[in-house]
Amino acid sequence: MDESPASDSLLARADIVLDRALYYTSALLLIMIAATVMYTVVARYVFNSAPLWAEDAPRVFFLWMTYLGIAVATRRGQNIRVTFFVEKMAPKPRFYLDMFMHFCVLAMMVTILWNVWPLIRLNLAGTMLSTGWSNAVSWFPLPVGVALMLIYQSRQAIQSYRDYRAGRFHGESSGLNEAGGD
Amino acid sequence: MLLVSMLALLFIFSLIGMEIGWAIGFAGFGYLVLAQFEPFGTPMILFSQMMVAGLDSFILVAIPLFIFMGELMNKSGVTHRIIDFAGALVGHIRGGLANVGVVANFIMSGISGSALADAAATGTVLVPAMEKRGFPPAFSSAVIASAATVGPIIPPSISFVLLGAIVEVSVGRLFMGGVVPGFIMFVAMFTLTYWISKKNNYPVEEKATIRQQGNAFARGFLPLLAPIFVVGSIVGGVATPTEAAAIAVFYTLFLGVIVYRNLSLPRILEAAGLAAISSSVIMLTVATSQIFAFLAVREKLGEILTSAMLGVSDNVYVLLLMANILMLFLGMFMEILPIMLILAPILFPLFMKLGVSDVHLGVVMVLNLMIGMITPPIGLNLFVLSAISKVGVIEIFRYAVPYFITLLGVLMLITYVPELTLYLADLVIPVK
């Protein structure tokens, strides 16, 4: 089923907006981590009372930053991988290997998503004493990040397939079109 | 059987090009799938649980902060200041810009804490400049790739922070333990560069006047205070490693915004974004390695490895040599984080029982893994420099062989003379 150029360009724009939103959210979370940790040091030595949330809040921000950041890295193909051996392979076996690896990663992601819900339900019941936040705030970044990665990884697999069909496949299936500007 | 399958999956999927973090995860995932056919299979929920629990640690928060500091330094032009300073200092000595590369990396090591970041930052500036001055690009790349290995040995060091989190070693003592070995690495590589350059008659730069040297020092002085703040606050008990990293971030912001006036809000955001993504890639590896390490412990990999090593000899020197060979071998094929996360919980208890200090072993381990960064097929520093210079990895390694041999010599020295590591650590932060 072919998509019209208009919907294609709308999707592409939405994709770029999502990429940038995730990128800048990760950036802001890192700045918040730096600010909260610094505030703790200042509060301890200047006001003589470190906040109760000194370690808990930065840890929560850190988990959110990490899983949103991994999603961006997946989209942009910035994860570290070894291409030394596969570069020596012919395009056809390389394509099949690439698809197999996409399948393995997707299977892993689905398993993570499936199994995280009982953990979230379990943690929804409790709250952090220091912040008053639900314990589940530390667990939500995983399904959110993995769901985004699932989308990006699937798109990369589709892109590889299209490239292979068009005779353009050279194994660089990691990384979708650049968002630009970053 | 399950353990063998897990190790096989790790090697195969790492080498056939799956993202490193996911390759480690897939080895653990494969284990869990196969374990479902066992009478008391490990629950699959463990996988999701460890993906969060493995990262939920305050000390790990230091890693994105150190990377953020490095990015801010890059954005505010500190790399150029440091290269100029190194140039004014040693550019006139035989080897010229090659020596500058070694010195600049030594100075940068006190700022970024990451070998890859240092290799990329100095390589981008120096490799094209060296090519213009007539150095073979493969040699320029080899010098920078090798010189950057000192990064995680000199404090602050992301690798030491991570090691401190894995095996509960004092990060402050690890930082101090790395100072003398890092200095020895620097002297060894500088001497080697001088000797190679003299032999090949490589060019030198014009000698800077005292005034030029003073100006270059003044331009590079303030960034040099960052590592002093980091190490000083940890050693002085003023701050934890994570807090020290945050202090360093704010100091760098102060330099960029107030002193140099070249850090705008968009540039700060860009630096934060780049740091967040780089750190996330590392954290994916950390999270999946924790699953792998947990399952390896469950399958008694530590006991198997320990009895295999003790079966050969119970002499601590022989065991250290075997550990070095194992780490160097793995370093050729794997990225440093998984090796550290998998081997540290196994090797530390064994060697500590034999009387080896945790700080000494920590420095030996990181040095081993740094040497792995310049050995093919998986030498990340070689890849970075190859991307910059467009020279093949194997060609760069051919020029890096003398550095590889020199670093092996330093490794043996550090391994068998523990005082080189422990003297400063014991002096500054005595064991309680």
Side-chain angles (χ1 to χ4, degrees), chain A residues 49-169:
Chain A
S49 71
L52 276 176
W53 46 261
E55 291 198 4
D56 289 338
R59 265 171 27 206
V60 171
F61 298 151
F62 170 66
L63 285 165
W64 277 100
M65 181 208 79
T66 298
Y67 280 106
L68 296 184
I70 298 173
V72 179
T74 304
R75 187 200 175 279
R76 299 183 181 189
Q78 288 179 345
N79 286 318
I80 306 164
R81 60 194 300 208
V82 176
T83 54
F84 186 81
F85 296 106
V86 285
E87 272 168 3
K88 292 170 175 50
M89 289 172 77
K92 193 173 177 180
R94 197 172 171 186
F95 165 71
Y96 285 117
L97 187 64
D98 194 58
M99 294 309 271
F100 173 65
M101 284 192 293
H102 281 306
F103 172 77
C104 292
V105 174
L106 289 170
M108 229 181 329
M109 287 174 177
V110 171
T111 310
I112 293 171
L113 276 180
W114 182 262
N115 284 291
V116 77
W117 297 114
L119 294 164
I120 288 180
R121 273 199 299 273
L122 190 72
N123 282 282
L124 271 172
T127 51
M128 290 182 203
L129 288 176
S130 57
T131 56
W133 298 342
S134 163
N135 281 336
V137 291
S138 300
W139 292 87
F140 270 118
L142 181 64
V144 172
V146 172
L148 287 163
M149 281 185 260
L150 196 69
I151 296 167
Y152 290 139
Q153 194 80 25
S154 309
R155 283 185 50 202
Q156 283 174 4
I158 294 166
Q159 182 83 48
S160 290
Y161 177 72
R162 281 184 180 160
D163 287 350
Y164 180 70
R165 289 288 298 268
R168 293 193 305 257
F169 181 77

Side-chain angles (χ1 to χ4, degrees), chain B residues 41-55:
Chain B
T42 317
M44 291 297 283
I45 201 168
L46 180 82
F47 199 84
S48 303
Q49 191 190 2
M50 294 292 285
M51 290 290 285
V52 173
L55 296 182

Side-chain angles (χ1 to χ4, degrees), chain B residues 15 22 33 51 55 76 144 166 194 202 215 229 238 246 268 340 352 362 366 402:
Chain B
L15 294 182
W22 288 125
V33 170
M51 290 290 285
L55 296 182
S76 53
I144 304 293
I166 304 166
Y194 174 82
Y202 287 149
N215 281 343
F229 286 145
V238 175
I268 295 170
M340 205 190 278
M352 283 172 74
V366 174

Side-chain angles (χ1 to χ4, degrees), chain B residues 10 24 60 63 113 152-153 157-167 174 282 285-286 289-290 292-293 326-327 330-331 334-349 361-370 373:
Chain B
L10 172 65
I24 302 162
L60 288 179
I63 293 173
I153 307 291
S157 153
I158 292 170
S159 301
F160 284 152
V161 171
L162 193 63
L163 196 59
I166 304 166
V167 282
L174 280 171
I282 294 172
T285 312
V286 172
S289 297
Q290 304 263 27
F292 188 96
L326 177 69
M327 286 187 277
L330 290 177
M334 284 171 70
E335 220 248 316
I336 67 161
L337 282 180
I339 302 177
M340 205 190 278
L341 282 152
I342 294 161
L343 279 189
I346 295 170
L347 293 181
F348 273 71
L361 187 61
V363 174
V364 168
M365 179 176 249
V366 174
L367 179 48
N368 262 298
L369 302 180
M370 284 308 110
M373 293 190 81

Side-chain angles (χ1 to χ4, degrees), chain B residues 1-47:
Chain B
M1 181 59 197
L2 284 176
L3 180 65
V4 175
S5 314
M6 187 167 75
L7 291 170
L9 283 174
L10 172 65
F11 268 96
I12 294 168
F13 279 86
S14 297
L15 294 182
I16 62 174
M18 187 182 270
E19 289 89 345
I20 297 289
W22 288 125
I24 302 162
F26 192 72
F29 178 71
Y31 173 101
L32 290 172
V33 170
L34 291 173
Q36 303 311 305
F37 300 101
E38 299 267 296
F40 301 103
T42 317
M44 291 297 283
I45 201 168
L46 180 82
F47 199 84

Side-chain angles (χ1 to χ4, degrees), chain B residues 288-300:
Chain B
T288 52
S289 297
Q290 304 263 27
I291 301 165
F292 188 96
F294 177 85
L295 295 172
V297 169
R298 194 187 155 92
E299 283 293 318
K300 300 186 170 59

